[in-house]
Amino acid sequence: MPRSLLVLLLLVAAVAGSWLARAAMVRWRDLRSAQTYELAAEVRPVLVRAGAAGLCLMCVSALGVAVLLGERGGAGRAVAVVAADRPAGSADLVAAGSSPASVPASAASTTASAVASAVAFASVGKVAGGELVQGAVPGPDGRARAVRVWLPAEYGKNPADRFPVIVLHSGTPGRTADADLPDVFDGVASAAQQGKARPFVVVAPEAPGGTGHPCDLVAAAPQAVADDAALRAAVGAAFRTLPAGPATWSVLGVDGGAPCAAAAGLARPDLYGAAAAVSGRYDARALAGAAAEAPGAAGGRLLLAAAKRDAAGLASGRAVQAALRDARSRAEVRTSEVVQDYTPERERLRLVRVAVQYLAEQLAK
């Protein structure tokens, strides 16, 4: 609801409540006077006015909280989110399934739906031809964390179009992936510009703190990858994304975020239809174990990409592929080892482009 309308309703409720409270007080005084002189008088008008005044007070409190939340989440130019801009069935965007440590699915869905209606995203700026916005969404542990969403240039061209999603993992605690990799959106955009992939909406959640390398913990125990229902619900409610699920959502990690992406893709194929990890270092045994215990009948689909000069990265990817093969895993793992260019930055751009192309191809199956 627009903030101006909330403020108007707040003023109306405050004025009405004041008038009703004053009327109730006057009636109460008349009632006391009548009782003093033993005259007949009705109590009902006093109770009706007092009850109505109390109801107005509750409305004022609720509207006041809504206005304050709107001000806190609306710093910068807020992204307009109207009912016509929401995909059909956005209230049902929370996918089924949860991690072993998560709450029951019904409770998670209720919480996620409540979060989705409260999240406001504000513009951060123009990046790679698209728009970058930011909001605060509770993480799997319930704590609020920053979430940045990159909307491709195609997002504003046709209001009827809906977009698949890439969740971009960060390997730096307390930061989103684009803070360390400012050119990552250029790689995503170039894949669409060259006709190698359809446009994606990219969601970059802030990595948790408490450790210097968050993805190291995920790599050591990938079975504990959380079902981030609040993130999916908030993004689905605010943007024209396709309904969340393995047919439309994928995951990507670059450098330090690569182990997180690999773990999420192999451990949760019920949430992500494909995963791509770029220039990472992996715990092959842990990932093979996670793939073996993945829920559902379908195995994860993963691309491990590294530059031709990155000998350690290539060896780490091959080790994961061998471990999964030895474990007779259902997962499908590919490697990309041919990218080379003049600088590491250009190689990373090309690797991200290859990763996005892979994700688009896998989600189209």
Side-chain angles (χ1 to χ4, degrees), residues 59-347:
C59 291
V60 168
S61 300
L63 290 169
V65 171
V67 171
L68 289 175
L69 288 175
E71 290 178 346
R72 185 174 300 176
R77 183 170 62 84
V79 177
V81 181
V82 295
D85 196 38
R86 294 174 61 181
S90 59
D92 301 322
L93 290 178
V94 181
S98 60
S99 65
S102 65
V103 296
S106 58
S109 299
T110 302
T111 302
S113 299
V115 168
S117 63
V119 174
F121 290 85
S123 178
V124 176
K126 300 291 184 179
V127 179
E131 184 171 19
L132 187 63
V133 301
Q134 180 171 317
V137 180
D141 60 357
R143 298 179 181 178
R145 38 74 195 269
V147 173
R148 287 193 165 187
V149 179
W150 180 75
L151 306 173
E154 294 80 1
Y155 187 88
K157 294 180 179 179
N158 187 350
D161 286 347
R162 300 176 189 170
F163 298 82
V165 173
I166 293 174
V167 177
L168 179 63
H169 280 282
S170 170
T172 304
R175 303 182 71 172
T176 56
D178 60 294
D180 294 324
L181 306 166
D183 57 349
V184 67
F185 299 125
D186 293 299
V188 180
S190 67
Q193 292 167 359
Q194 295 185 8
K196 296 183 177 181
R198 65 172 300 179
F200 279 90
V201 166
V202 181
V203 179
E206 174 187 324
T211 175
H213 302 281
C215 287
D216 287 353
L217 297 180
V218 175
Q223 297 89 341
V225 173
D227 179 356
D228 205 338
L231 179 69
R232 297 197 305 278
V235 170
F239 306 102
R240 297 195 316 275
T241 57
L242 292 168
T248 56
W249 277 54
S250 56
V251 61
L252 170 65
V254 181
D255 294 344
C260 279
L266 292 174
R268 299 308 303 262
D270 56 324
L271 303 180
Y272 306 108
V278 174
S279 303
R281 306 293 186 268
Y282 314 100
D283 185 332
R285 182 178 298 178
L287 289 176
E293 298 179 12
R301 290 177 288 185
L302 172 65
L303 173 70
L304 300 172
K308 191 172 183 179
R309 73 171 83 187
D310 184 6
L314 295 175
S316 185
R318 292 168 187 161
V320 172
Q321 199 173 34
L324 290 167
R325 184 173 56 249
D326 293 343
R328 301 182 182 276
S329 172
R330 296 167 296 171
E332 299 177 9
V333 180
R334 298 182 187 177
T335 59
S336 175
E337 307 179 353
V338 298
V339 171
Q340 58 181 341
D341 215 310
Y342 298 107
T343 66
E345 291 74 20
R346 285 188 57 83
E347 287 181 341

